[in-house]
Amino acid sequence: MISDMYLPVPCVVHPEQVREYQYADLLPDDLRERLDEWDDDEDESRPHYQSDLSLAPGWKVGGYANWSLTDPYPMECAVCGTTMTLILTVGSGDWNGKDCSWRPSEENPTASPDIVGVQIGRGYSLYTFRCPKSFDHPPVTAMQ
């Protein structure tokens, strides 16, 4: 018998399209350095690139992976060596609980950022990648 703690909380999906930008360490050096300087500014009211502007947390199709636990590493197909594409992210939280920069505008500001109730590891995200050359090649996962 499966324990209820392993089951997501039933909820309704309201897809929305958002624009994401690549993980900072994968950007060209000159742009990453400018972003680092901008993030180091003392103005706390201004958003930060990595946590507020570039990578949406939560459950998503497509987009970019957040390599916050390890250095970024290429996800390559074991069959043909092609760089794989991120197709699905399962996140432990639906938005950042501190500042809520990714909280949907229609969501109650006091709502928990953990609507689905799924915990990946100790609060991580699970990424699933696929080979763009063939659906017959096995997918690869990473947890960050």
Side-chain angles (χ1 to χ4, degrees):
M1 176 156 185
I2 295 177
S3 170
D4 286 347
M5 69 183 279
Y6 295 111
L7 300 174
V9 174
C11 60
V12 178
V13 175
H14 297 284
E16 66 178 300
Q17 190 171 19
V18 298
R19 181 172 302 253
E20 285 193 313
Y21 298 97
Q22 185 62 272
Y23 182 72
D25 286 351
L26 297 174
L27 295 171
D29 290 342
D30 60 330
L31 179 56
R32 190 187 72 246
E33 289 169 9
R34 289 188 357 232
L35 285 169
D36 285 345
E37 288 174 19
W38 188 65
D39 278 348
D40 288 342
D41 190 319
E42 299 296 322
D43 185 357
E44 292 297 321
S45 66
R46 198 169 63 189
H48 292 279
Y49 176 79
Q50 197 75 2
S51 60
D52 301 319
L53 301 174
S54 65
L55 300 164
W59 293 53
K60 62 186 176 182
V61 175
Y64 296 102
N66 185 346
W67 298 102
S68 58
L69 293 178
T70 66
D71 287 337
Y73 56 91
M75 301 304 292
E76 296 174 349
C77 177
V79 175
C80 67
T82 301
T83 298
M84 300 181 91
T85 304
L86 178 64
I87 57 169
L88 177 67
T89 300
V90 175
S92 292
D94 296 310
W95 62 82
N96 185 332
K98 297 184 295 190
D99 55 25
C100 301
S101 64
W102 290 97
R103 180 179 47 82
S105 58
E106 68 274 3
E107 192 65 57
N108 181 336
T110 61
S112 167
D114 186 18
I115 305 257
V116 181
V118 170
Q119 185 79 5
I120 305 297
R122 294 182 176 157
Y124 307 127
S125 291
L126 178 66
Y127 300 107
T128 303
F129 297 84
R130 74 161 188 91
C131 179
K133 293 216 176 193
S134 176
F135 283 104
D136 293 330
H137 297 176
V140 172
T141 60
M143 187 170 64
Q144 287 285 312

